[in-house]
Amino acid sequence: MTRGYFGARKNVWTVAKNTWEKGLTYAYRDRKNKKRTFRALWIQRINAAARMEGLSYSQLMGNLHKAGIEINRKVLADLAVNNPEAFKAIVDKVK
């Protein structure tokens, strides 16, 4: 499991075991952080597209909530990047 590590970390049993166990804790932690970083990316993309339409991110999300449009940030960010016409239609509906 420690193949590819450098020096004693790959072949000295106790060092390799400790390195491997530490790596597992990093893997667990970073699976959680990955969700956090993707959400931040989606928010940045939505904010950039919303500002091009004259709204801020918080105004857009508040208006979406008031209008009863339930669309998650992942899909909204994908629309903002890959289908600006559909994003504009959603923004026009909540304005």
Side-chain angles (χ1 to χ4, degrees):
M1 296 295 288
T2 57
R3 189 184 59 191
Y5 286 16
F6 185 78
R9 291 175 156 237
K10 72 174 176 255
N11 57 9
V12 176
W13 177 256
T14 54
V15 178
K17 181 179 70 71
N18 292 339
T19 303
W20 174 68
E21 288 174 348
K22 186 75 165 181
L24 292 177
T25 62
Y26 286 141
Y28 177 81
R29 179 198 68 190
D30 291 338
R31 280 194 300 274
K32 308 301 177 201
N33 287 350
K34 183 178 179 183
K35 295 165 183 60
R36 183 187 313 165
T37 56
F38 267 105
R39 183 180 168 101
L41 176 66
W42 298 332
I43 289 171
Q44 289 170 3
R45 288 178 174 174
I46 295 167
N47 189 25
R51 290 198 184 266
M52 290 173 65
E53 301 298 328
L55 290 173
S56 69
Y57 170 79
S58 62
Q59 290 170 336
L60 174 64
M61 296 310 283
N63 290 345
L64 281 172
H65 182 70
K66 285 179 190 169
I69 300 173
E70 293 186 15
I71 185 168
N72 64 16
R73 287 165 181 81
K74 181 179 179 180
V75 173
L76 202 56
D78 185 57
L79 286 176
V81 172
N82 297 321
N83 197 348
E85 306 87 34
F87 184 81
K88 183 172 177 20
I90 290 172
V91 171
D92 289 341
K93 187 164 182 94
V94 299
K95 271 191 178 176

